[in-house]
């Protein structure tokens, strides 16, 4: 095998996000539920014998040393692999949206090159490499929807019913560091349990970052107001500017403004590449 074409990297939604405390080192303690959705970037991989990592942007231009390139080099470093790769990237997931696009791309890169280079690393070994790249990377490598705690490193698998969602990203993005640095951020939400969440998985809780985010980025409030006018309960996902709503019945919302990115999405029970690396059991 020398080529892997049309390899998906799915986005995720934070169904809720609570900030339950702050450690002495400044890291925030969180609770969340991460859910995979079928909004995907698409990556293409071809072996290079010279050991170089090259990337071709097949749409939106990415930074030179983005997470995809860093993931490939991290895998080389961790394994001593002398092979390289040429990676084509078709971006669909918007940046600074809270949808995990960059982390998902990195996870897909690790999973694909593990297969293409014949390394045979387990998912937990790949997750250890991915954690150094970003806190969300191990989630995508794990391949299942998850209850998330700690600083994002504690993952427990979740079973969720199939559902549809409308996800909209306005033009402006949000930088995570600005939200978590705000003095107005709620940092003392009472910890919840999976049983609390399971009673109403698509309506449970809130996003504690949302009040700060709407103050920093009026575009977020504009999208939230649009959802409300459609009779839908919108909620920001993660620490980005994208907003989503759970769709029920046959109701289809009115069209949204052309300058917004958005789509109707389904959730995924498992990551499309979940069989691409062996488990440790």
């Amino acid at each position: 095998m020398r080529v892997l074409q049309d390899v998906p990297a799915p986005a995720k939604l934070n169904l809720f996000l609570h900030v339950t405390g702050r450690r002495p080192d400044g890291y925030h303690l969180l609770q969340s539920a991460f859910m995979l959705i079928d909004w995907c970037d698409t990556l293409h991989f071809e072996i290079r014998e010279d050991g170089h990592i090259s990337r071709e942007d097949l749409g939106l231009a990415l930074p030179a040393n983005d997470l995809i390139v860093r993931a490939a080099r991290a895998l080389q470093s961790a394994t001593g692999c002398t092979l390289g790769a040429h990676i084509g990237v078709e971006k669909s997931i918007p940046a600074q949206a809270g949808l995990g696009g960059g982390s998902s791309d990195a996870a897909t890169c690790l999973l694909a090159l593990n297969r293409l280079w014949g390394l045979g690393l387990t998912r937990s070994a790949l997750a250890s490499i991915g954690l150094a790249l970003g806190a969300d990377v191990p989630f995508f490598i794990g391949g299942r929807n998850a209850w998330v705690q700690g600083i994002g490193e504690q993952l427990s698998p979740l079973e969720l019913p199939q559902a549809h969602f409308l996800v909209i990203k306005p033009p402006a993005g949000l930088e995570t560091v600005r939200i978590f640095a705000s003095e107005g951020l709620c940092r003392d939400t009472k910890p919840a349990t999976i049983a609390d969440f399971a009673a109403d998985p698509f309506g449970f809780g809130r996003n504690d970052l949302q009040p700060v985010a709407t103050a920093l980025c009026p575009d977020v409030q504009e999208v939230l107001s649009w959802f409300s006018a459609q009779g839908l309960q919108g909620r920001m996902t993660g620490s980005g500017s994208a907003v989503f709503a759970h769709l029920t019945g046959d109701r289809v919302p009115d069209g949204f403004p052309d300058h917004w990115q958005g789509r109707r999405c389904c959730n995924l029970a498992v990551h499309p590449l979940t069989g691409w690396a062996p488990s440790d059991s």
Side-chain angles (χ1 to χ4, degrees), residues 121-186:
L121 295 185
T122 63
R123 282 201 298 272
S124 65
L126 292 172
S128 294
I129 297 169
L131 183 58
L133 300 167
D136 289 351
V137 178
F139 160 71
F140 289 104
I141 291 172
R144 303 193 72 88
N145 300 315
W147 177 263
V148 183
Q149 297 190 100
I151 60 173
E153 84 288 8
Q154 299 174 29
L155 303 173
S156 302
L158 276 179
E159 298 292 334
L160 295 168
Q162 187 174 26
H164 293 85
F165 303 83
L166 181 62
V167 186
I168 292 178
K169 160 69 167 60
L174 274 168
E175 295 180 2
T176 300
V177 66
R178 293 185 66 199
I179 297 176
F180 280 105
S182 173
E183 292 299 322
L185 178 64
C186 171

Side-chain angles (χ1 to χ4, degrees), residues 28-257:
H28 289 79
L29 298 173
L30 310 173
Q31 283 190 318
S32 188
F34 286 3
M35 181 185 70
L36 297 160
I37 57 173
D38 62 354
W39 192 343
C40 299
D41 290 338
T42 305
L43 282 68
H44 314 276
F45 301 86
E46 183 176 358
I47 284 181
R48 290 184 59 146
E49 300 289 349
D50 59 9
H52 290 296
I53 303 297
S54 56
R55 195 196 69 226
E56 179 182 1
D57 298 332
L58 304 174
L60 180 70
L62 299 174
N65 191 33
D66 79 320
L67 279 177
I68 298 169
V69 173
R70 288 163 55 194
R73 290 175 177 159
L75 188 60
Q76 284 180 320
S77 177
T79 63
C81 182
T82 59
L83 293 171
H86 180 68
I87 307 170
V89 185
E90 298 177 57
K91 284 295 294 182
S92 174
I93 304 168
Q96 293 190 335
L99 297 171
S103 294
S104 185
D105 292 343
T108 285
C109 183
L110 292 172
L111 288 161
L113 292 182
N114 182 54
R115 186 172 188 174
L116 194 63
W117 291 343
L119 301 175
L121 295 185
T122 63
R123 282 201 298 272
S124 65
L126 292 172
S128 294
I129 297 169
L131 183 58
L133 300 167
D136 289 351
V137 178
F139 160 71
F140 289 104
I141 291 172
R144 303 193 72 88
N145 300 315
W147 177 263
V148 183
Q149 297 190 100
I151 60 173
E153 84 288 8
Q154 299 174 29
L155 303 173
S156 302
L158 276 179
E159 298 292 334
L160 295 168
Q162 187 174 26
H164 293 85
F165 303 83
L166 181 62
V167 186
I168 292 178
K169 160 69 167 60
L174 274 168
E175 295 180 2
T176 300
V177 66
R178 293 185 66 199
I179 297 176
F180 280 105
S182 173
E183 292 299 322
L185 178 64
C186 171
R187 296 181 171 91
D188 58 357
T189 295
K190 181 181 177 182
T193 67
I194 294 180
D196 296 331
F197 167 79
D200 184 17
F202 303 134
F204 174 80
R206 61 184 180 272
N207 186 333
D208 282 339
L209 312 188
Q210 189 168 300
V212 174
T214 55
L216 292 172
C217 181
D219 278 13
V220 175
Q221 185 57 59
E222 184 180 354
V223 179
L224 287 165
S225 297
W226 180 86
F227 271 119
S228 181
Q230 303 298 313
L232 296 170
Q233 182 62 52
R235 179 177 296 177
M236 197 177 87
T237 175
S239 58
S241 61
V243 175
F244 72 95
H246 177 213
L247 301 178
T248 58
D250 296 327
R251 189 177 184 284
V252 178
D254 298 337
F256 52 82

